[in-house]
Amino acid sequence: MGDISRCNGNATVAGECRRKSFWYEEEIEQDLRWCYALNGILHSGESQYQDIALLDTKPFGKALVIDGKLQSTEIDEFIYHECLVHPALLHHIKPETIFIMGGGEGSTAREILRHKTVERVVMCDIDEEVVDFCRSYLVANREAFFNSRLKLVINDARAELEKREERFDVIIGDLADPIEDGPCYQLYTKSFYESILKPRLKEDGIFVTQAGPAGVFSHTEVFSCIYNTLRHVFKYVVPYSAHIPSYADTWGWIMASDSPFTLDSEELDSRIRQRITGENRYLDGKTFASASLLSKAVRKSLDKETQVYTEGTAKFIYGHGTCHKIRSGLQQEMN
């Protein structure tokens, strides 16, 4: 590629002036930033807990950003949410009751409610303003919010599970990444999994959580530690991953249970046909089989991981929210 410079406010490549664009920028590592050209800012605001923005990006459509961290985009969110939801529900013999930790966006509930066996879904998110925001602006999930099987609870997931006596077939962790001083990192700890979450699962219950970046270089941020932590709590633990284009990385999920995961790809496909309304865009039996075959580098690293996630030894995703600064700068330019 040619050198990039500035020409009368327009970016130039190899001397050719190009039309000026507005950009959203997120710092992924100290020396690495990921930028998206924007058509505009659709909405922005602040809740008691978080800074929220809905951006109209040129490459990925609508993008939800919380505390300066991209959560999902309308073009590829189906990859993340199908991977988060369907493997756990399909491996369960008959998932009827589901508890979502977080999930205020509504996409996780949307995918769960496609399962014909599901009778009740409890979605517990701490931030009512984020839930209301997503219900208003994310049209694709609006139907899920009004489904009679969904019970929305505004509370801290830890406190909600502590006070409940019922047990669930599947618990899903659709939480924000563990960020230093953020509201969620305590929900990745061994003490939480062992003392609060696991007792709320039925005997054959399954837990699954998003577990951060899982690339060859990025998986040591939190993915390997969360995996090792769950190995100390559950008998059977399955890590898997998929590339999410808008995240500019491979993303990881971890599924755990005291019952073994025995289904092969053909059996998963059979359950998909029998149980799920509509067609998955990403996940089928072979895709999951591939997703759970991690690269040599990541497998070796996970095998050697010794750190257990505790409040005293917590690991965090790099960076912290800066969306409000970016938003203000963009609004000034666009005005």
Side-chain angles (χ1 to χ4, degrees):
M1 289 181 63
D3 293 335
I4 298 177
S5 60
R6 287 279 172 182
C7 175
N8 296 325
N10 293 318
T12 66
V13 179
E16 176 188 355
C17 282
R18 294 190 174 183
R19 181 183 175 190
K20 182 178 179 181
S21 293
F22 298 101
W23 295 82
Y24 164 72
E25 180 181 277
E26 183 174 320
E27 190 168 17
I28 298 173
E29 298 175 9
Q30 185 172 355
D31 299 317
L32 179 62
R33 295 184 178 186
W34 181 235
C35 299
Y36 310 86
L38 297 181
N39 293 313
I41 302 168
L42 301 176
H43 189 81
S44 61
E46 294 182 12
S47 74
Q48 177 184 349
Y49 302 98
Q50 303 167 108
D51 185 80
I52 317 161
L54 185 64
L55 311 178
D56 182 9
T57 74
K58 291 186 177 182
F60 298 112
K62 292 179 183 177
L64 177 66
V65 178
I66 294 180
D67 276 347
K69 291 290 187 181
L70 180 72
Q71 303 299 304
S72 69
T73 72
E74 66 176 334
I75 295 299
D76 63 5
E77 59 85 7
F78 69 94
I79 303 172
Y80 172 95
H81 291 102
E82 287 186 17
C83 287
L84 174 65
V85 169
H86 298 310
L89 269 69
L90 291 169
H91 276 89
H92 194 282
I93 189 67
K94 191 180 181 184
E96 295 177 335
T97 56
I98 318 294
F99 187 94
I100 309 170
M101 301 191 298
E105 175 184 339
S107 299
T108 296
R110 180 197 70 214
E111 292 300 315
I112 293 169
L113 291 166
R114 293 175 57 209
H115 284 254
K116 299 172 185 177
T117 62
V118 170
E119 297 177 354
R120 186 164 181 264
V121 182
V122 178
M123 184 173 83
C124 180
D125 198 289
I126 196 172
D127 199 330
E128 186 170 15
E129 290 180 59
V130 167
V131 174
D132 289 342
F133 176 93
C134 294
R135 183 162 42 195
S136 298
Y137 290 95
L138 302 183
V139 178
N141 299 335
R142 195 167 290 168
E143 186 176 336
F145 279 110
F146 292 98
N147 192 295
S148 62
R149 292 177 289 167
L150 179 67
K151 170 67 175 177
L152 174 62
V153 176
I154 303 300
N155 197 4
D156 172 71
R158 181 189 187 107
E160 187 66 24
L161 286 171
E162 276 185 312
K163 76 176 187 179
R164 284 181 175 266
E165 295 182 359
E166 66 182 304
R167 301 169 75 191
F168 296 88
D169 294 313
V170 178
I171 296 178
I172 296 177
D174 187 18
L175 301 163
D177 297 326
I179 297 175
E180 194 165 7
D181 299 323
C184 292
Y185 78 90
Q186 297 96 335
L187 302 183
Y188 293 93
T189 61
K190 180 175 181 286
S191 62
F192 171 70
Y193 291 149
E194 199 167 48
S195 302
I196 299 172
L197 185 146
K198 189 175 181 180
R200 298 275 66 80
L201 281 172
K202 294 180 181 178
E203 186 174 350
D204 58 350
I206 298 173
F207 171 62
V208 63
T209 183
Q210 79 89 10
V216 171
F217 300 115
S218 60
H219 72 275
T220 56
E221 283 190 86
V222 295
F223 181 68
S224 60
C225 182
I226 295 171
Y227 167 72
N228 188 54
T229 302
L230 286 168
R231 283 199 301 179
H232 283 74
V233 179
F234 292 92
K235 292 180 181 178
Y236 303 95
V237 180
V238 176
Y240 56 103
S241 64
H243 178 67
I244 310 291
S246 61
Y247 291 177
D249 204 348
T250 300
W251 211 255
W253 302 265
I254 303 172
M255 187 167 60
S257 179
D258 281 344
S259 298
F261 300 106
T262 59
L263 298 184
D264 61 23
S265 59
E266 291 183 358
E267 290 170 314
L268 282 172
D269 283 337
S270 177
R271 289 190 177 184
I272 288 172
R273 290 191 297 269
Q274 294 169 12
R275 295 186 182 184
I276 297 180
T277 300
E279 185 176 354
N280 287 345
R281 296 173 63 188
Y282 181 78
L283 192 90
D284 63 6
K286 289 182 179 179
T287 303
F288 179 73
S290 174
S292 56
L293 290 175
L294 306 178
S295 70
K296 177 182 178 180
V298 175
R299 292 197 314 272
K300 289 181 69 175
S301 182
L302 264 58
D303 288 342
K304 293 179 180 179
E305 180 63 70
T306 59
Q307 183 169 346
V308 173
Y309 206 106
T310 68
E311 292 190 17
T313 62
K315 299 181 75 173
F316 303 104
I317 296 290
Y318 178 84
H320 200 273
T322 56
C323 187
H324 63 285
K325 297 178 184 176
I326 297 166
R327 184 182 70 244
S328 299
L330 279 167
Q331 286 175 327
Q332 289 173 7
E333 284 191 82
M334 295 175 107
N335 292 333

